[in-house]
């Protein structure tokens, strides 16, 4: 049993990670800046703390006494958030910097950093038939403005803390992750959750139209959360020193993603395309040659299967939201 700090534990991916680590028998300290009642999942067996990890002192105090650190804390969201909050995204550099310093000073055994496919050079993502981004495609650097540059810089810092201070750092570049217990409204949600929400709301209200950001031909791959958690743990305890892609290679267009959700919902909608909305790069996919070579595995949960579970979870949330709104209206709360 190890003592493990999970940063960003009130968020989507880290909430699942905390559960997995507890199931494996570890003593987990779960930290997030959000008040506890806003965490997607709260594991009662964890030591749950509400702290701002941009502050060096908070990082030191919470890392002290732990064996390992997983850093998944960041001020982030889907394209709608990162295109309009570049400075806020870059301030997350304070979280990783102070966690690295604390980990060095407190003698942490291993440190995991959650990077992103947004580190990749934009010039390699102009074709919707993207053959897959290789790890080497991050350089020469032309990362996603704001969010992507912060990730690339923090990756680099992890590397130099390993080289100069001997801190065992591991890095995964996540490609879009989706699943239950994540953001589905409020402006930070990503495409899979946003499309599920729009289709569910339309089917509940009888609306016949869906608005899609961009022309719908832009492509992405989406990784189900269970694959992501397995990949995080396998990469953390591997000997792989360089950043590794952690993503699905099942690339689809946004139109195909909408088709999948409509099939799940058994509800067809007329599509309107908002060409002014944030849409990100034209084509992005994960090249999984390296992860297959090093770990003998790649994320493989089919998109249709993962989207069904995600859709069902979001539907329940929306039904609950609607009931509590009705409740609030009835009692004038
Ligand atoms: P999330 O927003 O659900 O979780 C991030 C958590 O970090 C949030 O709960 C947030 O409150 C917390 N946080 C932010 N600032 C903090 C601070 N100052 N101190 C403490 N906690 C703070 O996001 P997620 O989807 O779970 O992503 C987790 C990590 O994976 C992030 O680093 C993200 O950049 C990275 N990532 C995610 C995806 C994806 O598709 N979800 C893709 C690429 C990379």
């Amino acid at each position: 049993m190890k003592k493990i700090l999970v940063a960003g534990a009130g968020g989507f991916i880290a909430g699942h990670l905390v559960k997995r680590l507890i199931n494996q028998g570890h003593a987990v300290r779960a930290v997030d800046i959000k008040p506890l009642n806003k965490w997607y999942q709260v594991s009662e067996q964890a030591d749950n703390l509400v702290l701002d990890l941009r502050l060096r002192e908070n990082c030191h105090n919470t890392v002290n006494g732990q064996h390992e650190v997983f850093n998944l804390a960041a001020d982030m969201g889907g394209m709608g958030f990162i295109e309009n909050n570049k400075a806020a995204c870059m301030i997350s550099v304070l979280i990783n910097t102070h966690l690295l310093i604390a980990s060095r000073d407190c003698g942490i055994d291993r440190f995991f950093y959650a990077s992103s496919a947004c580190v990749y050079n934009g010039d390699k993502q102009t074709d919707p038939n993207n053959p897959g981004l290789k790890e080497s495609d991050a350089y020469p650097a032309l990362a996603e403005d704001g969010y992507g540059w912060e990730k690339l810089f923090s990756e680099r810092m992890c590397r130099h803390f390993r080289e100069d201070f001997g801190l065992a750092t591991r890095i995964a570049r996540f490609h879009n992750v989706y699943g239950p217990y994540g953001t589905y409204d409020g402006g930070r949600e990503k495409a899979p959750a946003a499309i599920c929400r729009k289709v569910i709301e339309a089917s509940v209200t009888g609306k016949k139209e869906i608005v899609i950001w961009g022309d719908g031909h832009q492509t992405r791959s989406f990784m189900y959360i269970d694959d992501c958690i397995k990949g995080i743990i396998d990469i953390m305890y591997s000997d792989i020193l360089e950043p590794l892609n952690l993503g699905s290679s099942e690339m689809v267009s946004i139109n195909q993603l909408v088709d999948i959700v409509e099939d799940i919902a058994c509800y067809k909608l007329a599509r309107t395309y908002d060409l002014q909305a944030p849409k990100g790069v034209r084509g992005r996919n994960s090249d999984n040659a390296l992860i297959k070579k090093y770990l003998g595995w790649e994320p493989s949960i089919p998109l249709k299967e993962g989207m069904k579970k995600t859709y069902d979870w979001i539907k329940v949330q929306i039904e609950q939201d609607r009931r509590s709104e009705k409740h609030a209206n009835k009692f004038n709360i």
Side-chain angles (χ1 to χ4, degrees):
M1 186 186 84
K2 285 178 284 197
K3 291 184 179 177
I4 302 179
L5 171 73
V6 178
F12 165 46
I13 302 173
H16 287 273
L17 180 64
V18 168
K19 270 175 115 178
R20 183 69 58 90
L21 293 170
I22 286 174
N23 284 342
Q24 290 180 344
H26 300 296
V28 177
R29 176 172 288 173
V31 181
D32 203 287
I33 194 171
K34 291 189 294 204
L36 217 53
N37 64 358
K38 301 268 188 247
W39 292 27
Y40 292 121
Q41 303 187 72
V42 178
S43 296
E44 285 183 3
Q45 302 97 309
D47 174 20
N48 297 305
L49 301 174
V50 175
L51 288 173
D52 183 351
L53 292 174
R54 288 170 298 191
L55 304 180
R56 185 172 173 174
E57 194 189 3
N58 284 346
C59 287
H60 186 91
N61 292 342
T62 194
V63 165
N64 203 10
Q66 304 294 302
H67 298 116
E68 295 174 351
V69 172
F70 286 86
N71 177 19
L72 289 95
D75 197 358
M76 64 86 69
M79 279 319 298
F81 180 81
I82 65 177
E83 278 201 5
N84 293 308
N85 295 276
K86 297 189 178 96
C89 289
M90 293 204 86
I91 290 174
S92 296
V93 76
L94 294 176
I95 302 174
N96 198 58
T97 303
H98 290 145
L99 282 174
L100 279 172
I101 293 172
S103 298
R104 176 198 63 187
D105 294 350
C106 299
I108 286 296
D109 296 334
R110 255 170 212 259
F111 184 100
F112 176 89
Y113 178 60
S115 186
S116 163
C118 287
V119 300
Y120 285 115
N121 188 315
D123 286 347
K124 307 225 170 182
Q125 302 173 77
T126 54
D127 182 356
N129 298 313
N130 192 315
L133 292 156
K134 295 186 188 60
E135 283 76 354
S136 55
D137 288 334
Y139 295 98
L142 184 58
E144 178 83 38
D145 203 4
Y147 178 72
W149 278 105
E150 189 279 318
K151 290 288 183 195
L152 196 62
F153 177 86
S154 290
E155 279 191 0
R156 201 83 187 177
M157 208 169 200
C158 288
R159 168 177 162 178
H160 294 309
F161 267 63
R162 175 172 53 76
E163 291 169 346
D164 293 0
F165 304 130
L167 177 63
T169 55
R170 299 289 183 269
I171 301 165
R173 289 181 183 152
F174 300 166
H175 291 244
N176 293 292
V177 190
Y178 71 98
Y181 299 98
T183 313
Y184 62 91
D185 65 2
R188 288 181 188 249
E189 63 278 19
K190 296 189 152 212
I195 292 168
C196 285
R197 189 200 71 232
K198 287 178 185 181
V199 172
I200 293 164
E201 283 173 354
S203 67
V204 169
T205 57
K207 224 173 116 184
K208 302 282 178 233
E209 186 189 70
I210 184 169
V211 178
I212 294 168
W213 287 9
D215 64 5
H217 296 299
Q218 67 272 36
T219 53
R220 295 289 184 278
S221 71
F222 300 96
M223 168 172 55
Y224 189 62
I225 184 68
D226 291 0
D227 273 338
C228 180
I229 298 301
K230 174 176 167 46
I232 291 172
I233 290 174
D234 287 359
I235 290 171
M236 174 68 148
Y237 300 111
S238 75
D239 295 330
I240 316 306
L241 304 180
E242 295 307 316
L244 265 192
N245 275 337
L246 181 54
S248 164
S249 56
E250 184 188 349
M251 189 171 73
V252 291
S253 69
I254 295 302
N255 274 332
Q256 287 170 321
L257 187 62
V258 177
D259 292 342
I260 289 174
V261 179
E262 286 181 339
D263 285 350
I264 294 168
C266 299
Y267 197 75
K268 292 275 171 212
L269 291 158
R271 298 176 190 184
T272 303
Y273 295 96
D274 180 355
L275 303 181
Q276 305 313 318
K279 46 199 170 283
V281 295
R282 194 69 186 139
R284 178 178 287 167
N285 195 10
S286 181
D287 179 304
N288 287 345
L290 268 192
I291 193 168
K292 281 195 275 187
K293 178 176 161 199
Y294 290 133
L295 302 180
W297 171 87
E298 67 176 316
S300 59
I301 296 171
L303 185 57
K304 281 185 185 167
E305 192 182 312
M307 284 301 287
K308 168 83 177 104
K309 292 182 184 165
T310 308
Y311 178 92
D312 288 347
W313 181 81
I314 293 176
K315 192 160 186 238
V316 171
Q317 306 316 301
I318 289 177
E319 281 164 1
Q320 281 172 2
D321 293 346
R322 284 171 66 86
R323 270 199 300 277
S324 59
E325 268 167 37
K326 270 193 203 141
H327 176 85
N329 290 341
K330 189 172 168 192
F331 295 101
N332 280 333
I333 295 169

